[in-house]
Amino acid sequence: SNMWKKLQRGLAPLEKGELEQLRKVFDRIDKNCDGVLCLNDLKATCAALKHQPDKGELEEMIWEIDETLSKTISYDEFELMYRRVRSDRTGLEPRTMFNLVDFMMNDNNGDGRIEVDEAIQLMFMRYGKEFKDEAIASLFNGQTENGNSLSYNQFLEHLEQQKDHGSRRKDLDKLRAVQ
């Protein structure tokens, strides 16, 4: 519809393969197959990933991207969230749901862990030849031999470390600017 076209204006287009994978992840989270994601879908998904969400985390995940205030997430809202974060250069877009989706897109075989070769496939699909081996090395803490894998909780820890590292770098830049 028109509203979604307007909201998507200026956002990077996605490759067909990436869109198909995004749809697959939406359907994997939609446990009761009613075409929208609700709190129970998210609870069941987190349980399957052995992730214990903080109080209010899942409600916030829905609230962050629920454009229509239905307390559920439609596929349009889901894709819009994903494209917003993928196009985000500021780091200010809410990422709680994106992190879950990102993990599940990496976990192509759906076993609840990301293997090195799965992560490389997704990076390559997203960034083509521009993707950096360092990104994979950093994700797996330098342990990139085949057979290494990450759980969802380890993946979230990695993102936290990246964020801390990023904000420390920004603080250093500010200090340099002051001197």
Side-chain angles (χ1 to χ4, degrees):
S1 80
N2 237 351
M3 170 179 138
W4 297 110
K5 281 201 181 75
K6 273 191 190 128
L7 287 169
Q8 292 191 358
R9 210 172 275 150
L11 297 180
L14 298 177
E15 293 297 319
K16 188 169 166 275
E18 196 171 357
L19 271 174
E20 283 166 4
Q21 242 181 314
L22 188 64
R23 182 77 225 196
K24 230 166 58 183
V25 168
F26 182 89
D27 293 339
R28 260 166 66 197
I29 300 174
D30 183 15
K31 302 287 187 209
N32 61 1
C33 303
D34 63 355
V36 293
L37 308 185
C38 63
L39 202 54
N40 286 336
D41 291 331
L42 293 176
K43 279 181 184 156
T45 300
C46 286
L49 294 173
K50 300 177 178 56
H51 173 62
Q52 187 57 59
D54 295 333
K55 190 171 164 42
E57 182 184 332
L58 301 181
E59 288 84 350
E60 187 175 323
M61 206 182 257
I62 291 175
W63 179 82
E64 281 178 352
I65 59 180
D66 179 14
E67 298 283 338
T68 57
L69 306 179
S70 59
K71 291 194 168 34
T72 59
I73 296 164
S74 68
Y75 182 74
D76 282 326
E77 289 168 323
F78 187 76
E79 187 187 318
L80 181 66
M81 166 280 300
Y82 183 80
R83 290 180 58 183
R84 276 179 173 161
V85 175
R86 289 276 284 106
S87 304
D88 181 25
R89 297 282 167 265
T90 61
L92 297 175
E93 279 293 333
R95 286 170 189 260
T96 334
M97 173 65 92
F98 178 83
N99 293 338
L100 174 65
V101 172
D102 196 25
F103 178 84
M104 291 178 75
M105 282 180 87
N106 271 292
D107 174 23
N108 209 0
N109 65 5
D111 68 354
R113 299 188 70 82
I114 303 176
E115 274 92 53
V116 175
D117 53 347
E118 287 178 322
I120 290 173
Q121 272 173 351
L122 181 67
M123 287 275 192
F124 196 76
M125 184 172 69
R126 277 187 187 162
Y127 306 111
K129 299 211 172 11
E130 287 162 35
F131 112 83
K132 307 279 185 279
D133 290 335
E134 299 94 83
I136 299 286
S138 142
L139 180 61
F140 289 93
N141 246 332
Q143 315 287 307
T144 54
E145 305 78 59
N146 250 343
N148 266 337
S149 65
L150 286 179
S151 70
Y152 183 51
N153 291 320
Q154 290 168 316
F155 180 73
L156 291 176
E157 270 166 42
H158 165 77
L159 294 175
E160 272 308 304
Q161 286 166 351
Q162 295 293 93
K163 217 167 69 186
D164 292 347
H165 186 68
S167 49
R168 270 203 303 279
R169 229 182 15 240
K170 280 191 194 109
D171 291 344
L172 281 171
D173 290 345
K174 274 188 204 135
L175 277 173
R176 284 196 195 99
V178 169
Q179 286 164 352

